[in-house]
């Protein structure tokens, strides 16, 4: 007999390269405006002001290779990002120690209902309807640090139907991965299973049903998803 009054909710987990075990997700943190060129395209100031984060739900992660166009939006944008998967955490982690908590890396898309996000910004409301919707975080498999180390430079790109839309380099991040972990740990208890989406380079834009989206971090991994 279950010890819960309802069936236990599903644990969302993503595959790990070279393993028959998967990585269970606890939380998804996403940093905003972390590449200068994207900050400018969104009307922000690319100088190094305090970082800011929002969250998606763990259940929003998806590795099916299909992205169902979500309801209540006519302007859904792709944002390709490096995914950082944590195997541990704590509070007040130092920048020097932060990378020791990383299990592995992948590539993902911070799918965004840009029209709803725009309304939220205008009305000073929360971003969840724009960011944290069903299957809004398509992700690749996770590649363990034991295989690839900690990539801090390398091309990150996204194409739609073969046309290059987004291109940048991990080295262009305003806040590096270690700094993101350290910063988050001042505000939250960071723990194994937490995932950080580390920001998007410039070139974000809309997707349509039928589009085939391919994204890649050179030397790390790639992923394809189809908008259905
Ligand atoms: Mn993003």
């Amino acid at each position: 007999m279950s010890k819960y009054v309802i069936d236990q909710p599903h644990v969302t987990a993503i595959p790990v390269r070279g393993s028959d075990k998967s990585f269970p997700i606890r939380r998804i943190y996403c940093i905003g405006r972390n590449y200068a060129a994207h900050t400018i395209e969104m009307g922000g100031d690319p100088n190094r002001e305090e970082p800011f984060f929002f969250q998606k739900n763990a259940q929003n992660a998806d590795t099916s290779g299909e992205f169902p166009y979500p309801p209540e939006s006519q302007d859904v944008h792709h944002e390709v990002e490096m995914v950082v998967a944590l195997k541990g955490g704590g509070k007040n982690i130092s920048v020097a120690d932060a990378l020791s908590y990383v299990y592995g890396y992948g590539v993902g898309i911070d799918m965004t209902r840009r029209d709803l996000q725009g309304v939220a910004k205008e009305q000073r409301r929360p971003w969840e309807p724009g960011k944290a919707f069903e299957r809004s975080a398509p992700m690749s498999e996770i590649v363990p640090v034991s295989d690839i180390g900690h990539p801090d430079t390398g091309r990150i790109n996204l194409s739609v139907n073969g046309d290059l839309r987004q291109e940048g380099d991990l080295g262009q991040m305003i806040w590096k991965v270690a700094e993101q972990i350290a910063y988050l740990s001042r505000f939250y208890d960071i723990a194994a299973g937490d995932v950080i989406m580390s920001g998007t380079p410039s070139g974000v834009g809309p997707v349509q049903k039928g589009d085939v989206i391919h994204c890649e971090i050179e030397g790390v991994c790639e992923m394809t998803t189809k908008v259905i």
Side-chain angles (χ1 to χ4, degrees), residues 2-20:
S2 166
K3 65 178 182 172
Y4 302 112
V5 296
I6 56 169
D7 290 341
Q8 184 175 7
H10 179 69
V11 174
T12 299
I14 44 183
V16 172
R17 183 184 295 175
S19 176
D20 56 359

Side-chain angles (χ1 to χ4, degrees), residues 78-213:
H78 55 74
E79 298 188 359
V80 63
E81 315 208 356
M82 183 163 78
V83 169
V84 184
L86 302 184
K87 63 182 177 183
K91 303 176 197 289
N92 298 314
I93 296 167
S94 70
V95 172
D97 288 343
L99 292 185
S100 69
Y101 297 105
V102 178
Y103 174 79
Y105 296 90
V107 66
I109 309 175
D110 168 16
M111 287 291 193
T112 302
R113 290 193 281 214
R114 192 72 76 202
D115 41 3
L116 301 195
Q117 185 196 26
V119 169
K121 284 179 179 175
E122 248 170 50
Q123 311 269 346
R124 297 173 173 268
R125 289 176 184 164
W127 281 14
E128 275 90 347
K131 289 289 195 178
F133 54 91
E134 312 313 327
R135 296 167 75 172
S136 60
M139 286 182 191
S140 71
E141 63 189 352
I142 296 296
V143 186
V145 167
S146 54
D147 288 359
I148 49 155
H150 298 281
D152 55 3
T153 59
R155 185 171 180 256
I156 177 171
N157 67 79
L158 177 146
S159 63
V160 178
N161 303 324
D163 296 333
L164 185 64
R165 295 278 183 87
Q166 289 192 262
E167 187 174 31
D169 191 284
L170 300 177
Q172 296 166 333
M173 285 187 196
I174 297 170
W175 295 90
K176 309 302 180 195
V177 170
E179 292 173 322
Q180 294 184 45
I181 295 167
Y183 189 88
L184 279 167
S185 75
R186 290 166 46 193
F187 294 85
Y188 306 104
D189 293 348
I190 299 302
D194 289 350
V195 163
I196 300 172
M197 299 188 77
S198 55
T200 196
S202 60
V204 302
V207 302
Q208 311 297 340
K209 279 184 192 173
D211 283 348
V212 176
I213 305 172

